[in-house]
Amino acid sequence: MDFIEELTWRGMIHQMMPGTEDQLKKEMTTAYLGIDPTADSLHIGHLVGVMMLKHFQRSGHKPIALVGGATGMIGDPSMKSQERKLLDEETLRHNQEAIKAQLAKFLDFDSDAPNAAEMVNNYDWMKPFSFLDFIRDVGKHITVNYMMAKDSVKKRLSGESQQGMSFTEFSYQLCQGYDFLHLYKEKNCRLQLGGSDQWGNITTGTELIRRTVGGEAFALTCPLITKADGGKFGKTESGNVWLDPRYTSPYKFYQFWLNVSDTDAEKYIKIFTSLTREEIEQLVALQAEDPGQRPLQKRLAKEITTMVHSAEEYEKAVEASQILFSNKAGEALHNLDEKTLLDVMEGVPQFEIPRSAIEEGVKLADLITDLAPVFPSKGEMRKMVQGGGVSVNKEKVADPYMEVTTDMLLNDRYILVQRGKKNYFLLRTV
């Protein structure tokens, strides 16, 4: 597989330094991509870079994932309007291990193949540096004029923010440049990958390599991903879409991809999956024939949810998605964990009911009229039961005065009542 060719048809190349393609054709090449360890999980904004590393390894080259333990203590000013909070070493190490576990789903770290992936942390080589050594051995090779000309610096200095830019942040590109120099010398790393906002920092590294050891190194960036409507990719009303199920449940993760627009789905399926060009072209043709079936979104959601979580979690997410629309979802409803249940029921009206009433065996008619106002009156409730229009936990109710007991509780706490075809109510015991 040709790496540049693969990235080109997938729409994943923004800028590339001359000579990069020749270098990759000449020999197995080592490349690195930096990941900011400010959280103990990646979010989907990181996935473009991770997929670049995945395609790089699939092309027979060697990927290095660099966790920016040192640079994470500073904070990259690129595209940021404010300085970020700095982290301590213990937090950074914890975040590094969590990130590596997630990357292992995309990259082969463990085989004895010559292009097995590696993970490094720049804190390991930056920690022993004294300030004087750094400004003498690294700082003297790059002029302030060169650093000031970078977009990330210019935008910040000319921005509306009154805070300006601290020396700490200004030194960031030198630190990142030194990472490239270190990996060039220690790992024969000849290429750095990153987002288009990193071009200035990456080229500072290639320049530092040229000026200090006379070496040749290369740079390749991918475009920053946007949504067709101009909104920010990967952000929802509740914030980032995370890879860790503690922060974003597999159901919500699956739903994010399932609900992207047709235009975005056609773009994202190239970037975030390893499907071949032919497979994607077939899906695009199917989408054009019958957009209502949404084959692009369904396949995109399947591929990426399976890759990040598992085939089992994908199946559960599909099942959970169908609960509100299927009449035969009673068993599936009982199998949902509490977090997924609440995710599925987001937006459904909720009522609190005393647990003691359930423990005493309350009658359904009393429960959903007196204790929770699902119906305004028992007469209306009885009439709808007779017409087959009331369900409890997706099971049709035949007797309005049936006893409601604790063994009916979902996750030992909830009851789902359906009134008519589309009206749902979640009762929560307290």
Side-chain angles (χ1 to χ4, degrees):
M1 191 175 100
D2 183 290
F3 179 64
I4 302 299
E5 202 177 286
E6 187 75 9
L7 257 57
T8 301
W9 78 259
R10 290 182 183 276
M12 293 175 74
I13 295 182
H14 182 73
Q15 287 165 294
M16 181 169 64
M17 197 172 271
T20 303
E21 198 163 2
D22 293 338
Q23 167 63 34
L24 295 176
K25 284 180 174 167
K26 187 170 70 177
E27 61 190 353
M28 184 185 88
T29 301
T30 300
Y32 92 91
L33 176 119
I35 294 170
D36 184 2
T38 44
D40 63 354
S41 172
L42 301 173
H43 54 72
I44 60 173
H46 291 107
L47 281 183
V48 191
V50 174
M51 290 305 294
M52 285 173 85
L53 287 180
K54 183 179 174 71
H55 293 310
F56 194 69
Q57 190 171 41
R58 287 174 66 222
S59 304
H61 300 293
K62 183 179 179 69
I64 294 178
L66 179 145
V67 172
T71 37
M73 287 183 162
I74 300 171
D76 179 5
S78 304
M79 313 298 278
K80 306 286 189 303
S81 58
Q82 290 185 326
E83 195 162 347
R84 67 178 58 175
K85 294 185 176 71
L86 310 184
L87 302 175
D88 59 63
E89 185 178 357
E90 188 184 348
T91 305
L92 287 165
R93 293 292 180 195
H94 164 73
N95 292 355
Q96 176 187 343
E97 289 310 306
I99 288 168
K100 184 171 184 181
Q102 291 180 338
L103 288 175
K105 294 176 180 178
F106 297 83
L107 303 172
D108 165 25
F109 285 98
D110 299 323
S111 78
D112 53 6
N115 70 327
E118 283 185 53
M119 177 176 263
V120 294
N121 188 331
N122 61 11
Y123 188 68
D124 294 330
W125 58 81
M126 294 300 277
K127 185 162 72 167
F129 245 131
S130 76
F131 177 69
L132 290 175
D133 286 342
F134 188 78
I135 57 173
R136 185 192 63 194
D137 298 341
V138 181
K140 71 175 181 180
H141 296 287
I142 301 291
T143 66
V144 169
N145 308 53
Y146 180 88
M147 294 171 74
M148 293 283 283
K150 299 293 185 184
D151 282 348
S152 58
V153 175
K154 281 199 292 193
K155 282 180 184 170
R156 186 64 179 274
L157 290 178
S158 63
E160 291 163 19
S161 167
Q162 299 302 304
Q163 291 181 310
M165 186 182 202
S166 69
F167 174 74
T168 304
E169 287 182 292
F170 182 60
S171 66
Y172 185 94
Q173 62 172 291
L174 267 186
C175 295
Q176 187 169 326
Y178 182 75
D179 288 342
F180 202 172
L181 174 61
H182 176 86
L183 292 173
Y184 178 89
K185 292 197 288 192
E186 299 297 320
K187 306 270 186 191
N188 193 28
C189 180
R190 306 293 297 272
L191 172 65
Q192 186 179 164
L193 307 170
S196 57
D197 60 327
Q198 292 296 308
W199 182 256
N201 292 334
I202 296 173
T203 51
T204 297
T206 61
E207 187 66 8
L208 191 59
I209 289 166
R210 188 183 70 78
R211 292 185 185 187
T212 53
V213 294
E216 189 177 27
F218 304 94
L220 188 154
T221 63
C222 60
L224 293 180
I225 305 302
T226 54
K227 290 194 329 194
D229 65 5
K232 192 168 181 184
F233 167 73
K235 290 276 187 186
T236 64
E237 286 175 18
S238 52
N240 284 322
V241 179
W242 298 93
L243 273 54
D244 191 314
R246 290 175 302 162
Y247 306 135
T248 301
S249 69
Y251 167 79
K252 275 203 164 175
F253 186 85
Y254 167 77
Q255 284 289 323
F256 172 83
W257 300 103
L258 193 64
N259 290 314
V260 299
S261 70
D262 290 0
T263 308
D264 286 336
E266 190 173 336
K267 181 167 76 168
Y268 296 167
I269 202 161
K270 293 175 187 170
I271 295 170
F272 298 110
T273 76
S274 298
L275 295 177
T276 64
R277 195 171 192 166
E278 291 70 30
E279 286 173 305
I280 290 172
E281 283 169 356
Q282 284 172 3
L283 288 163
V284 170
L286 286 171
Q287 187 96 348
E289 279 172 34
D290 188 356
Q293 289 299 312
R294 309 176 83 242
L296 275 174
Q297 284 93 335
K298 286 175 182 173
R299 189 63 187 277
L300 170 66
K302 177 182 181 178
E303 291 291 320
I304 200 156
T305 306
T306 302
M307 189 158 47
V308 169
H309 295 291
S310 68
E312 186 187 0
E313 290 295 345
Y314 159 73
E315 295 292 348
K316 282 187 194 169
V318 172
E319 213 168 57
S321 303
Q322 294 166 348
I323 277 170
L324 296 183
F325 311 105
S326 165
N327 294 324
K328 300 174 182 174
E331 189 181 340
L333 189 61
H334 280 277
N335 292 335
L336 288 188
D337 60 87
E338 185 175 17
K339 186 167 183 1
T340 307
L341 174 70
L342 293 176
D343 284 346
V344 173
M345 299 302 154
E346 194 171 16
V348 169
Q350 296 189 19
F351 297 118
E352 289 187 347
I353 52 171
R355 187 180 178 92
S356 56
I358 306 285
E359 288 169 347
E360 289 160 13
V362 68
K363 298 287 186 282
L364 180 64
D366 296 328
L367 178 69
I368 58 179
T369 55
D370 299 340
L371 298 178
V374 173
F375 287 91
S377 69
K378 292 185 177 71
E380 192 174 321
M381 184 255 182
R382 283 196 304 270
K383 194 174 171 184
M384 194 169 264
V385 168
Q386 285 163 5
V390 179
S391 296
V392 169
N393 297 341
K394 300 300 287 185
E395 304 287 345
K396 279 264 190 287
V397 172
D399 174 12
Y401 290 98
M402 66 181 276
E403 195 173 288
V404 180
T405 57
T406 52
D407 58 6
M408 293 167 67
L409 293 173
L410 305 169
N411 288 286
D412 197 37
R413 193 171 181 197
Y414 304 94
I415 290 174
L416 180 66
V417 179
Q418 185 176 355
R419 188 187 79 198
K421 279 190 176 178
K422 295 183 178 176
N423 296 309
Y424 288 92
F425 303 87
L426 192 65
L427 313 186
R428 185 173 71 246
T429 62
V430 290

